[in-house]
Structure formats: structure tokens, C-alpha cells
Amino acid sequence: DVKVTQSSRYLVKRTGEKVFLECVQDMDHENMFWYRQDPGLGLRLIYFSYDVKMKEKGDIPEGYSVSREKKERFSLILESASTNQTSMYLCASSPAGDTQYFGPGTRLTVL
Amino acid sequence: EDKVVQSPLSLVVHEGDTVTLNCSYEVTNFRSLLWYKQEKKAPTFLFMLTSSGIEKKSGRLSSILDKKELFSILNITATQTGDSAVYLCAVSSVSNYKLTFGKGTLLTVNP
């Protein structure tokens, strides 16, 4: 079974804090993705990576950065959290094909 | 820009009913269409349909892809309360690894 884990299920941070969200997959997948999911807006792609140290901007990269130093780990960084970044964050991974497997999600609240 | 539109946005049925969820899309150089089920947490993969596999079935769930008319449907027969979830449709193109998601259909199955 594919397993994608995320470091926290729930997180509360203050405006201006630096926030790290970690994602780990155990299936040696090449591709990893970070999405946010908001009511009425659906799933939106923030960043993705198709190899170690490689990253590509998704549809809404502003205010975020990512890091992929090892194949199994993909980190999402909020340099200075803002209230409009309160959301559900979902990480996914996929092999060379299309099927993406999702982690359980991190519900981030920025106060 | 790739686009996915799902309908209806929400649907309430009784156990035992049959439902049809719709997904229309616009994508440059279509590669595949995927269906996911999302309950309280992360989306779980249901089906992937490509040019070489335009009909899939698993138990009470089935899906077809009409590449000419650019849509897909997801059918659920003999619905159960456990089918209550948001159903997401996504498409990918040949040019990259990204999935573009629709906003989902919220299905509620009442006993």
C-alpha cells in the first residue's frame, strides 16, 4: 500500500511566523505535490516536484516555497504566515504515471 | 488553461438510489481523467480513464469517458450511506505531471 504521511493533522500559528509542513512518501515516487483545499475553490496546486532538488510552480505559489532534498520528503514553507493562508493542505505523490496518492492533510489555522 | 467543471455541486439521495455525477473538461493534449472520493480526510483514488481505457467498473461504481464530447460520468448504483462523500474529477495533459481538479460533487446518501 502506498503511504503518504504529513507531519501534523492540525496546526495553529500566528501571523508572521515561519511555518514548515512536511510530507513523506514511502513508495519511491518521483513526483510530489502540495495543494491547498478551500470551500468553494476546490483543490489548487501550490508547487510540485518531479525530482530531488527540482521544483515547479503550480497555480498559486505566491507566499509559499518548497524544498526537496531527498526523494521521499517534500516540504512546504510559509515564510511569513498570513490569515489568508488558513486552509487544508494536502500533499500527494505519484510514480511516473498520473495517479496521485494523497496524505491525510494538515489543517492550518493562522491567527 | 485547463478546466474541469463538475455537476451537480451537491446531491441528496436515499439509500438504494442510483446516481450519476458529471465531469466536463477542457485540456490541451489530454492524457487521462481521474476520479477520487473524499470523505472527512484525504482524497482516495477510484478510477483513471485514458484513451486506451474509456470504461472502468469496480463493484457498484463505474465510469465512462467520452473523449469526443469531453466529459466523463461516474455512476453509483444501489447507494449506501458510506458512499456519502465529495467526489472529485481531475484531468492531466501530456505536457506535464499536473492534475487539474474540479470543485467536486458533494453526495449525501440518507438512510
Short mmCIF file of all heavy atoms in Angstrom, two decimals, chain A residues 11-76:
data_model
loop_
_atom_site.label_atom_id
_atom_site.label_comp_id
_atom_site.label_asym_id
_atom_site.label_seq_id
_atom_site.Cartn_x
_atom_site.Cartn_y
_atom_site.Cartn_z
N LEU A 11 -2.68 22.37 12.96
CA LEU A 11 -1.60 23.29 13.30
C LEU A 11 -2.21 24.67 13.48
O LEU A 11 -3.03 25.10 12.65
CB LEU A 11 -0.59 23.30 12.16
CG LEU A 11 0.88 23.61 12.40
CD1 LEU A 11 1.45 22.76 13.52
CD2 LEU A 11 1.65 23.40 11.12
N VAL A 12 -1.80 25.35 14.55
CA VAL A 12 -2.24 26.74 14.76
C VAL A 12 -1.00 27.60 14.88
O VAL A 12 -0.12 27.32 15.70
CB VAL A 12 -3.11 26.86 16.03
CG1 VAL A 12 -3.54 28.31 16.23
CG2 VAL A 12 -4.33 25.95 15.94
N LYS A 13 -0.93 28.64 14.05
CA LYS A 13 0.23 29.53 14.05
C LYS A 13 -0.25 30.98 14.10
O LYS A 13 -1.42 31.28 13.85
CB LYS A 13 1.06 29.31 12.78
CG LYS A 13 1.69 27.93 12.70
CD LYS A 13 2.77 27.75 13.72
CE LYS A 13 3.44 26.40 13.63
NZ LYS A 13 4.49 26.23 14.66
N ARG A 14 0.70 31.85 14.40
CA ARG A 14 0.38 33.28 14.45
C ARG A 14 0.87 33.96 13.17
O ARG A 14 1.84 33.52 12.54
CB ARG A 14 1.06 33.92 15.65
CG ARG A 14 0.57 33.34 16.97
CD ARG A 14 0.22 34.45 17.96
NE ARG A 14 -0.41 33.87 19.14
CZ ARG A 14 -1.71 33.96 19.38
NH1 ARG A 14 -2.51 34.61 18.56
NH2 ARG A 14 -2.22 33.42 20.47
N THR A 15 0.21 35.04 12.84
CA THR A 15 0.60 35.85 11.67
C THR A 15 2.07 36.23 11.78
O THR A 15 2.53 36.65 12.85
CB THR A 15 -0.25 37.12 11.60
OG1 THR A 15 -1.63 36.75 11.51
CG2 THR A 15 0.12 37.96 10.39
N GLY A 16 2.80 36.03 10.67
CA GLY A 16 4.21 36.39 10.63
C GLY A 16 5.15 35.25 10.96
O GLY A 16 6.36 35.35 10.70
N GLU A 17 4.64 34.18 11.52
CA GLU A 17 5.50 33.04 11.85
C GLU A 17 5.94 32.31 10.58
O GLU A 17 5.22 32.30 9.57
CB GLU A 17 4.75 32.04 12.74
CG GLU A 17 4.70 32.42 14.20
CD GLU A 17 4.23 31.26 15.06
OE1 GLU A 17 5.04 30.35 15.34
OE2 GLU A 17 3.04 31.26 15.44
N LYS A 18 7.07 31.66 10.66
CA LYS A 18 7.53 30.78 9.58
C LYS A 18 6.98 29.38 9.87
O LYS A 18 7.10 28.88 10.99
CB LYS A 18 9.05 30.75 9.52
CG LYS A 18 9.61 30.06 8.30
CD LYS A 18 11.11 30.34 8.16
CE LYS A 18 11.65 29.79 6.85
NZ LYS A 18 13.07 30.14 6.65
N VAL A 19 6.37 28.78 8.87
CA VAL A 19 5.68 27.50 9.06
C VAL A 19 6.26 26.46 8.11
O VAL A 19 6.45 26.74 6.91
CB VAL A 19 4.17 27.64 8.81
CG1 VAL A 19 3.46 26.31 9.06
CG2 VAL A 19 3.56 28.73 9.69
N PHE A 20 6.54 25.29 8.65
CA PHE A 20 7.03 24.17 7.84
C PHE A 20 6.00 23.05 7.86
O PHE A 20 5.60 22.59 8.92
CB PHE A 20 8.35 23.62 8.40
CG PHE A 20 9.50 24.56 8.29
CD1 PHE A 20 9.75 25.50 9.28
CD2 PHE A 20 10.35 24.50 7.20
CE1 PHE A 20 10.83 26.36 9.18
CE2 PHE A 20 11.43 25.36 7.09
CZ PHE A 20 11.67 26.30 8.09
N LEU A 21 5.60 22.60 6.68
CA LEU A 21 4.74 21.43 6.57
C LEU A 21 5.55 20.35 5.86
O LEU A 21 6.09 20.58 4.78
CB LEU A 21 3.46 21.75 5.78
CG LEU A 21 2.58 22.88 6.32
CD1 LEU A 21 1.34 23.04 5.46
CD2 LEU A 21 2.19 22.64 7.76
N GLU A 22 5.60 19.18 6.50
CA GLU A 22 6.43 18.10 5.97
C GLU A 22 5.56 17.00 5.39
O GLU A 22 4.50 16.67 5.93
CB GLU A 22 7.29 17.51 7.09
CG GLU A 22 8.22 18.48 7.76
CD GLU A 22 9.45 18.77 6.92
OE1 GLU A 22 9.84 17.90 6.12
OE2 GLU A 22 10.00 19.87 7.05
N CYS A 23 6.06 16.41 4.34
CA CYS A 23 5.37 15.30 3.69
C CYS A 23 6.40 14.22 3.35
O CYS A 23 7.46 14.54 2.79
CB CYS A 23 4.69 15.79 2.41
SG CYS A 23 3.90 14.49 1.44
N VAL A 24 6.06 12.99 3.67
CA VAL A 24 6.96 11.86 3.40
C VAL A 24 6.18 10.75 2.72
O VAL A 24 5.09 10.41 3.15
CB VAL A 24 7.60 11.33 4.71
CG1 VAL A 24 8.48 10.12 4.42
CG2 VAL A 24 8.39 12.41 5.41
N GLN A 25 6.77 10.19 1.66
CA GLN A 25 6.15 9.04 0.99
C GLN A 25 7.16 7.88 0.97
O GLN A 25 8.36 8.10 0.90
CB GLN A 25 5.68 9.40 -0.44
CG GLN A 25 6.72 10.09 -1.30
CD GLN A 25 7.49 9.19 -2.22
OE1 GLN A 25 7.27 7.99 -2.28
NE2 GLN A 25 8.43 9.78 -2.96
N ASP A 26 6.60 6.67 1.05
CA ASP A 26 7.48 5.51 1.20
C ASP A 26 7.50 4.62 -0.03
O ASP A 26 7.86 3.45 0.05
CB ASP A 26 7.06 4.70 2.44
CG ASP A 26 5.68 4.07 2.29
OD1 ASP A 26 5.00 4.31 1.27
OD2 ASP A 26 5.27 3.34 3.21
N MET A 27 7.07 5.15 -1.19
CA MET A 27 6.96 4.31 -2.38
C MET A 27 7.94 4.68 -3.48
O MET A 27 7.77 4.27 -4.62
CB MET A 27 5.53 4.38 -2.93
CG MET A 27 4.53 3.64 -2.09
SD MET A 27 4.96 1.89 -1.89
CE MET A 27 4.74 1.30 -3.55
N ASP A 28 8.95 5.47 -3.14
CA ASP A 28 9.97 5.81 -4.13
C ASP A 28 9.38 6.53 -5.35
O ASP A 28 9.85 6.36 -6.49
CB ASP A 28 10.72 4.54 -4.58
CG ASP A 28 12.09 4.84 -5.15
OD1 ASP A 28 12.74 5.77 -4.64
OD2 ASP A 28 12.50 4.17 -6.12
N HIS A 29 8.36 7.31 -5.12
CA HIS A 29 7.73 8.05 -6.22
C HIS A 29 8.59 9.23 -6.65
O HIS A 29 9.16 9.93 -5.82
CB HIS A 29 6.35 8.56 -5.80
CG HIS A 29 5.32 7.49 -5.71
ND1 HIS A 29 4.09 7.70 -5.15
CD2 HIS A 29 5.32 6.21 -6.15
CE1 HIS A 29 3.38 6.58 -5.24
NE2 HIS A 29 4.10 5.67 -5.84
N GLU A 30 8.59 9.46 -7.97
CA GLU A 30 9.37 10.59 -8.48
C GLU A 30 8.70 11.92 -8.17
O GLU A 30 9.36 12.91 -7.88
CB GLU A 30 9.53 10.47 -10.01
CG GLU A 30 10.43 9.36 -10.48
CD GLU A 30 9.71 8.03 -10.62
OE1 GLU A 30 8.50 7.94 -10.30
OE2 GLU A 30 10.36 7.06 -11.04
N ASN A 31 7.38 11.95 -8.32
CA ASN A 31 6.66 13.23 -8.27
C ASN A 31 5.98 13.46 -6.94
O ASN A 31 5.38 12.54 -6.37
CB ASN A 31 5.58 13.25 -9.37
CG ASN A 31 6.14 12.92 -10.72
OD1 ASN A 31 7.21 13.38 -11.08
ND2 ASN A 31 5.41 12.12 -11.48
N MET A 32 6.06 14.69 -6.47
CA MET A 32 5.35 15.06 -5.24
C MET A 32 4.72 16.42 -5.44
O MET A 32 5.22 17.25 -6.21
CB MET A 32 6.30 15.04 -4.04
CG MET A 32 6.85 13.65 -3.74
SD MET A 32 7.80 13.54 -2.20
CE MET A 32 6.47 13.58 -0.97
N PHE A 33 3.60 16.65 -4.71
CA PHE A 33 2.76 17.81 -4.95
C PHE A 33 2.26 18.38 -3.62
O PHE A 33 2.02 17.64 -2.67
CB PHE A 33 1.51 17.41 -5.76
CG PHE A 33 1.82 16.67 -7.02
CD1 PHE A 33 2.08 15.31 -7.01
CD2 PHE A 33 1.84 17.34 -8.24
CE1 PHE A 33 2.36 14.61 -8.17
CE2 PHE A 33 2.12 16.65 -9.41
CZ PHE A 33 2.39 15.29 -9.38
N TRP A 34 2.08 19.69 -3.61
CA TRP A 34 1.40 20.34 -2.50
C TRP A 34 0.19 21.10 -3.04
O TRP A 34 0.30 21.89 -3.99
CB TRP A 34 2.31 21.33 -1.78
CG TRP A 34 3.14 20.72 -0.72
CD1 TRP A 34 4.48 20.47 -0.75
CD2 TRP A 34 2.69 20.27 0.57
NE1 TRP A 34 4.90 19.90 0.43
CE2 TRP A 34 3.82 19.76 1.26
CE3 TRP A 34 1.46 20.24 1.21
CZ2 TRP A 34 3.74 19.23 2.54
CZ3 TRP A 34 1.38 19.72 2.49
CH2 TRP A 34 2.51 19.22 3.14
N TYR A 35 -0.98 20.84 -2.41
CA TYR A 35 -2.22 21.52 -2.74
C TYR A 35 -2.76 22.21 -1.48
O TYR A 35 -2.47 21.81 -0.36
CB TYR A 35 -3.30 20.52 -3.16
CG TYR A 35 -3.04 19.75 -4.42
CD1 TYR A 35 -2.33 18.54 -4.39
CD2 TYR A 35 -3.53 20.20 -5.64
CE1 TYR A 35 -2.12 17.81 -5.55
CE2 TYR A 35 -3.32 19.46 -6.80
CZ TYR A 35 -2.62 18.27 -6.74
OH TYR A 35 -2.42 17.56 -7.89
N ARG A 36 -3.61 23.20 -1.72
CA ARG A 36 -4.47 23.65 -0.65
C ARG A 36 -5.91 23.48 -1.11
O ARG A 36 -6.21 23.54 -2.32
CB ARG A 36 -4.18 25.09 -0.23
CG ARG A 36 -4.37 26.15 -1.24
CD ARG A 36 -4.10 27.55 -0.67
NE ARG A 36 -5.18 28.03 0.18
CZ ARG A 36 -5.16 29.18 0.85
NH1 ARG A 36 -4.09 29.97 0.78
NH2 ARG A 36 -6.18 29.55 1.61
N GLN A 37 -6.77 23.23 -0.11
CA GLN A 37 -8.19 22.99 -0.43
C GLN A 37 -9.05 23.91 0.40
O GLN A 37 -8.97 23.91 1.64
CB GLN A 37 -8.56 21.54 -0.15
CG GLN A 37 -9.95 21.17 -0.61
CD GLN A 37 -10.24 19.69 -0.47
OE1 GLN A 37 -9.73 19.03 0.44
NE2 GLN A 37 -11.07 19.15 -1.35
N ASP A 38 -9.85 24.71 -0.26
CA ASP A 38 -10.72 25.67 0.40
C ASP A 38 -12.15 25.50 -0.09
O ASP A 38 -12.37 25.19 -1.27
CB ASP A 38 -10.24 27.10 0.09
CG ASP A 38 -8.81 27.34 0.54
OD1 ASP A 38 -8.61 27.46 1.76
OD2 ASP A 38 -7.91 27.38 -0.32
N PRO A 39 -13.13 25.73 0.79
CA PRO A 39 -14.53 25.58 0.39
C PRO A 39 -14.85 26.47 -0.81
O PRO A 39 -14.51 27.65 -0.84
CB PRO A 39 -15.29 26.05 1.64
CG PRO A 39 -14.35 25.85 2.77
CD PRO A 39 -12.97 26.09 2.20
N GLY A 40 -15.50 25.87 -1.78
CA GLY A 40 -15.91 26.62 -2.96
C GLY A 40 -14.82 26.81 -4.00
O GLY A 40 -15.10 27.22 -5.13
N LEU A 41 -13.58 26.52 -3.64
CA LEU A 41 -12.46 26.71 -4.58
C LEU A 41 -11.83 25.40 -5.00
O LEU A 41 -11.06 25.35 -5.95
CB LEU A 41 -11.39 27.62 -3.96
CG LEU A 41 -11.85 29.04 -3.64
CD1 LEU A 41 -10.73 29.81 -2.95
CD2 LEU A 41 -12.27 29.77 -4.92
N GLY A 42 -12.12 24.34 -4.29
CA GLY A 42 -11.57 23.04 -4.65
C GLY A 42 -10.09 22.92 -4.31
O GLY A 42 -9.53 23.68 -3.52
N LEU A 43 -9.45 21.96 -4.96
CA LEU A 43 -8.02 21.70 -4.77
C LEU A 43 -7.23 22.56 -5.73
O LEU A 43 -7.45 22.52 -6.94
CB LEU A 43 -7.71 20.23 -5.08
CG LEU A 43 -7.88 19.24 -3.94
CD1 LEU A 43 -8.10 17.85 -4.49
CD2 LEU A 43 -6.64 19.27 -3.08
N ARG A 44 -6.27 23.31 -5.20
CA ARG A 44 -5.43 24.14 -6.04
C ARG A 44 -3.97 23.79 -5.80
O ARG A 44 -3.53 23.69 -4.65
CB ARG A 44 -5.70 25.63 -5.75
CG ARG A 44 -7.10 26.08 -6.15
CD ARG A 44 -7.32 27.55 -5.84
NE ARG A 44 -7.35 27.80 -4.41
CZ ARG A 44 -7.26 29.00 -3.85
NH1 ARG A 44 -7.12 30.06 -4.62
NH2 ARG A 44 -7.31 29.15 -2.55
N LEU A 45 -3.23 23.67 -6.90
CA LEU A 45 -1.84 23.24 -6.82
C LEU A 45 -0.93 24.40 -6.47
O LEU A 45 -0.95 25.44 -7.14
CB LEU A 45 -1.43 22.63 -8.16
CG LEU A 45 -0.01 22.09 -8.27
CD1 LEU A 45 0.20 20.91 -7.32
CD2 LEU A 45 0.29 21.68 -9.70
N ILE A 46 -0.11 24.21 -5.43
CA ILE A 46 0.80 25.27 -5.00
C ILE A 46 2.17 25.09 -5.67
O ILE A 46 2.66 25.98 -6.35
CB ILE A 46 0.97 25.25 -3.46
CG1 ILE A 46 -0.39 25.34 -2.77
CG2 ILE A 46 1.87 26.38 -3.00
CD1 ILE A 46 -0.34 25.10 -1.26
N TYR A 47 2.77 23.94 -5.45
CA TYR A 47 4.07 23.59 -6.04
C TYR A 47 4.07 22.09 -6.30
O TYR A 47 3.38 21.34 -5.64
CB TYR A 47 5.22 23.92 -5.08
CG TYR A 47 5.85 25.27 -5.23
CD1 TYR A 47 5.46 26.32 -4.40
CD2 TYR A 47 6.86 25.49 -6.17
CE1 TYR A 47 6.04 27.57 -4.53
CE2 TYR A 47 7.45 26.74 -6.29
CZ TYR A 47 7.04 27.78 -5.46
OH TYR A 47 7.63 29.01 -5.58
N PHE A 48 4.95 21.69 -7.22
CA PHE A 48 5.22 20.27 -7.36
C PHE A 48 6.69 20.05 -7.69
O PHE A 48 7.41 20.99 -8.05
CB PHE A 48 4.29 19.61 -8.39
CG PHE A 48 4.45 20.08 -9.80
CD1 PHE A 48 5.11 19.29 -10.73
CD2 PHE A 48 3.89 21.27 -10.23
CE1 PHE A 48 5.23 19.69 -12.05
CE2 PHE A 48 4.01 21.68 -11.54
CZ PHE A 48 4.68 20.89 -12.46
N SER A 49 7.09 18.80 -7.55
CA SER A 49 8.49 18.45 -7.78
C SER A 49 8.53 17.12 -8.50
O SER A 49 7.84 16.17 -8.11
CB SER A 49 9.23 18.33 -6.44
OG SER A 49 10.48 17.71 -6.60
N TYR A 50 9.33 17.02 -9.55
CA TYR A 50 9.41 15.77 -10.28
C TYR A 50 10.76 15.07 -10.07
O TYR A 50 11.06 14.06 -10.70
CB TYR A 50 9.12 15.97 -11.77
CG TYR A 50 9.93 17.07 -12.41
CD1 TYR A 50 11.17 16.82 -12.96
CD2 TYR A 50 9.42 18.36 -12.49
CE1 TYR A 50 11.90 17.81 -13.55
CE2 TYR A 50 10.15 19.37 -13.07
CZ TYR A 50 11.39 19.10 -13.59
OH TYR A 50 12.11 20.09 -14.17
N ASP A 51 11.59 15.65 -9.19
CA ASP A 51 12.86 15.00 -8.89
C ASP A 51 13.47 15.72 -7.68
O ASP A 51 13.08 16.85 -7.36
CB ASP A 51 13.79 15.06 -10.09
CG ASP A 51 14.87 13.99 -10.06
OD1 ASP A 51 15.00 13.30 -9.02
OD2 ASP A 51 15.59 13.84 -11.07
N VAL A 52 14.45 15.08 -7.10
CA VAL A 52 15.15 15.72 -5.99
C VAL A 52 15.73 17.05 -6.44
O VAL A 52 16.27 17.15 -7.54
CB VAL A 52 16.27 14.79 -5.47
CG1 VAL A 52 17.08 15.47 -4.37
CG2 VAL A 52 15.69 13.49 -4.96
N LYS A 53 15.58 18.05 -5.61
CA LYS A 53 16.08 19.41 -5.83
C LYS A 53 15.39 20.12 -6.99
O LYS A 53 15.77 21.24 -7.33
CB LYS A 53 17.60 19.42 -6.03
CG LYS A 53 18.36 18.95 -4.80
CD LYS A 53 19.82 19.30 -4.88
CE LYS A 53 20.59 18.69 -3.73
NZ LYS A 53 20.23 19.30 -2.44
N MET A 54 14.41 19.50 -7.60
CA MET A 54 13.67 20.15 -8.68
C MET A 54 12.32 20.60 -8.14
O MET A 54 11.70 19.90 -7.34
CB MET A 54 13.46 19.21 -9.86
CG MET A 54 14.72 18.59 -10.39
SD MET A 54 15.88 19.82 -11.02
CE MET A 54 15.10 20.25 -12.56
N LYS A 55 11.85 21.75 -8.60
CA LYS A 55 10.53 22.24 -8.19
C LYS A 55 9.93 23.05 -9.33
O LYS A 55 10.64 23.66 -10.13
CB LYS A 55 10.64 23.10 -6.93
CG LYS A 55 11.49 24.32 -7.09
CD LYS A 55 11.61 25.06 -5.78
CE LYS A 55 12.50 26.29 -5.96
NZ LYS A 55 12.74 27.00 -4.68
N GLU A 56 8.61 23.03 -9.37
CA GLU A 56 7.87 23.80 -10.37
C GLU A 56 6.73 24.52 -9.67
O GLU A 56 6.07 23.93 -8.80
CB GLU A 56 7.28 22.87 -11.43
CG GLU A 56 8.29 22.17 -12.30
CD GLU A 56 8.74 23.01 -13.47
OE1 GLU A 56 8.09 24.03 -13.75
OE2 GLU A 56 9.75 22.65 -14.10
N LYS A 57 6.47 25.73 -10.08
CA LYS A 57 5.33 26.45 -9.53
C LYS A 57 4.03 25.86 -10.05
O LYS A 57 3.93 25.48 -11.21
CB LYS A 57 5.40 27.93 -9.91
CG LYS A 57 6.55 28.67 -9.24
CD LYS A 57 6.55 30.13 -9.65
CE LYS A 57 7.71 30.86 -8.98
NZ LYS A 57 7.77 32.28 -9.37
N GLY A 58 3.06 25.82 -9.15
CA GLY A 58 1.72 25.41 -9.55
C GLY A 58 0.90 26.64 -9.89
O GLY A 58 1.41 27.62 -10.43
N ASP A 59 -0.37 26.60 -9.54
CA ASP A 59 -1.27 27.68 -9.90
C ASP A 59 -1.27 28.83 -8.90
O ASP A 59 -1.59 29.96 -9.24
CB ASP A 59 -2.70 27.13 -10.03
CG ASP A 59 -2.77 26.05 -11.10
OD1 ASP A 59 -2.19 26.26 -12.19
OD2 ASP A 59 -3.39 25.00 -10.85
N ILE A 60 -0.90 28.56 -7.65
CA ILE A 60 -0.96 29.60 -6.61
C ILE A 60 0.31 29.57 -5.74
O ILE A 60 0.24 29.35 -4.53
CB ILE A 60 -2.22 29.47 -5.73
CG1 ILE A 60 -2.39 28.03 -5.20
CG2 ILE A 60 -3.47 29.89 -6.50
CD1 ILE A 60 -3.33 27.93 -4.03
N PRO A 61 1.49 29.81 -6.28
CA PRO A 61 2.73 29.68 -5.50
C PRO A 61 3.04 30.86 -4.58
O PRO A 61 3.91 30.75 -3.71
CB PRO A 61 3.79 29.57 -6.59
CG PRO A 61 3.22 30.38 -7.72
CD PRO A 61 1.73 30.16 -7.67
N GLU A 62 2.34 31.97 -4.76
CA GLU A 62 2.70 33.19 -4.03
C GLU A 62 2.57 32.98 -2.52
O GLU A 62 1.54 32.51 -2.03
CB GLU A 62 1.81 34.35 -4.46
CG GLU A 62 1.96 34.76 -5.92
CD GLU A 62 1.21 33.83 -6.88
OE1 GLU A 62 0.30 33.10 -6.42
OE2 GLU A 62 1.56 33.82 -8.07
N GLY A 63 3.61 33.36 -1.81
CA GLY A 63 3.60 33.23 -0.36
C GLY A 63 4.12 31.91 0.15
O GLY A 63 4.17 31.68 1.37
N TYR A 64 4.50 31.03 -0.78
CA TYR A 64 4.99 29.69 -0.41
C TYR A 64 6.33 29.41 -1.08
O TYR A 64 6.66 29.98 -2.10
CB TYR A 64 4.00 28.62 -0.88
CG TYR A 64 2.60 28.77 -0.37
CD1 TYR A 64 1.63 29.42 -1.13
CD2 TYR A 64 2.22 28.23 0.86
CE1 TYR A 64 0.33 29.56 -0.67
CE2 TYR A 64 0.92 28.34 1.33
CZ TYR A 64 -0.02 29.02 0.55
OH TYR A 64 -1.30 29.14 1.02
N SER A 65 7.08 28.52 -0.46
CA SER A 65 8.26 27.94 -1.10
C SER A 65 8.30 26.46 -0.73
O SER A 65 7.54 26.01 0.13
CB SER A 65 9.55 28.65 -0.67
OG SER A 65 9.75 28.51 0.72
N VAL A 66 9.16 25.72 -1.41
CA VAL A 66 9.25 24.28 -1.16
C VAL A 66 10.71 23.85 -1.15
O VAL A 66 11.59 24.56 -1.62
CB VAL A 66 8.48 23.45 -2.23
CG1 VAL A 66 6.98 23.63 -2.09
CG2 VAL A 66 8.96 23.78 -3.63
N SER A 67 10.88 22.65 -0.61
CA SER A 67 12.23 22.07 -0.57
C SER A 67 12.10 20.57 -0.76
O SER A 67 11.26 19.93 -0.14
CB SER A 67 12.88 22.36 0.78
OG SER A 67 14.08 21.65 0.93
N ARG A 68 12.98 20.04 -1.63
CA ARG A 68 13.02 18.58 -1.80
C ARG A 68 14.49 18.16 -1.86
O ARG A 68 15.09 18.09 -2.92
CB ARG A 68 12.29 18.14 -3.06
CG ARG A 68 12.06 16.62 -3.04
CD ARG A 68 11.06 16.21 -4.03
NE ARG A 68 10.83 14.77 -4.01
CZ ARG A 68 10.35 14.10 -5.02
NH1 ARG A 68 10.03 14.73 -6.14
NH2 ARG A 68 10.16 12.80 -4.93
N GLU A 69 15.01 17.86 -0.70
CA GLU A 69 16.41 17.45 -0.57
C GLU A 69 16.57 15.94 -0.71
O GLU A 69 17.64 15.45 -1.08
CB GLU A 69 16.97 17.91 0.77
CG GLU A 69 17.01 19.42 0.93
CD GLU A 69 17.95 20.08 -0.07
OE1 GLU A 69 19.06 19.54 -0.29
OE2 GLU A 69 17.57 21.11 -0.66
N LYS A 70 15.53 15.20 -0.38
CA LYS A 70 15.55 13.74 -0.54
C LYS A 70 14.31 13.33 -1.30
O LYS A 70 13.26 14.00 -1.24
CB LYS A 70 15.56 13.06 0.84
CG LYS A 70 16.83 13.30 1.62
CD LYS A 70 16.81 12.51 2.91
CE LYS A 70 18.11 12.71 3.67
NZ LYS A 70 18.15 11.95 4.94
N LYS A 71 14.40 12.21 -1.97
CA LYS A 71 13.31 11.79 -2.84
C LYS A 71 12.01 11.59 -2.07
O LYS A 71 10.93 11.87 -2.57
CB LYS A 71 13.70 10.48 -3.54
CG LYS A 71 12.78 10.09 -4.68
CD LYS A 71 13.31 8.88 -5.40
CE LYS A 71 12.46 8.57 -6.62
NZ LYS A 71 12.97 7.39 -7.37
N GLU A 72 12.09 11.09 -0.85
CA GLU A 72 10.88 10.73 -0.12
C GLU A 72 10.24 11.90 0.62
O GLU A 72 9.15 11.77 1.14
CB GLU A 72 11.19 9.61 0.89
CG GLU A 72 12.11 10.00 2.03
CD GLU A 72 13.58 9.80 1.73
OE1 GLU A 72 13.93 9.69 0.53
OE2 GLU A 72 14.36 9.76 2.70
N ARG A 73 10.90 13.05 0.65
CA ARG A 73 10.43 14.14 1.51
C ARG A 73 10.25 15.43 0.72
O ARG A 73 11.15 15.85 -0.02
CB ARG A 73 11.44 14.36 2.64
CG ARG A 73 10.98 15.30 3.72
CD ARG A 73 12.09 15.41 4.77
NE ARG A 73 12.31 14.14 5.44
CZ ARG A 73 11.68 13.75 6.54
NH1 ARG A 73 10.79 14.54 7.12
NH2 ARG A 73 11.95 12.57 7.08
N PHE A 74 9.09 16.04 0.92
CA PHE A 74 8.78 17.30 0.21
C PHE A 74 8.19 18.25 1.23
O PHE A 74 7.16 17.96 1.83
CB PHE A 74 7.79 17.00 -0.92
CG PHE A 74 7.58 18.12 -1.91
CD1 PHE A 74 8.61 18.97 -2.29
CD2 PHE A 74 6.35 18.30 -2.52
CE1 PHE A 74 8.42 19.96 -3.22
CE2 PHE A 74 6.14 19.29 -3.48
CZ PHE A 74 7.18 20.13 -3.82
N SER A 75 8.85 19.38 1.43
CA SER A 75 8.43 20.32 2.46
C SER A 75 7.82 21.57 1.85
O SER A 75 8.31 22.07 0.84
CB SER A 75 9.65 20.74 3.31
OG SER A 75 10.26 19.61 3.88
N LEU A 76 6.78 22.05 2.48
CA LEU A 76 6.14 23.31 2.10
C LEU A 76 6.45 24.32 3.18
O LEU A 76 6.29 24.04 4.38
CB LEU A 76 4.64 23.12 1.95
CG LEU A 76 3.83 24.36 1.56
CD1 LEU A 76 4.12 24.75 0.11
CD2 LEU A 76 2.34 24.12 1.74
#
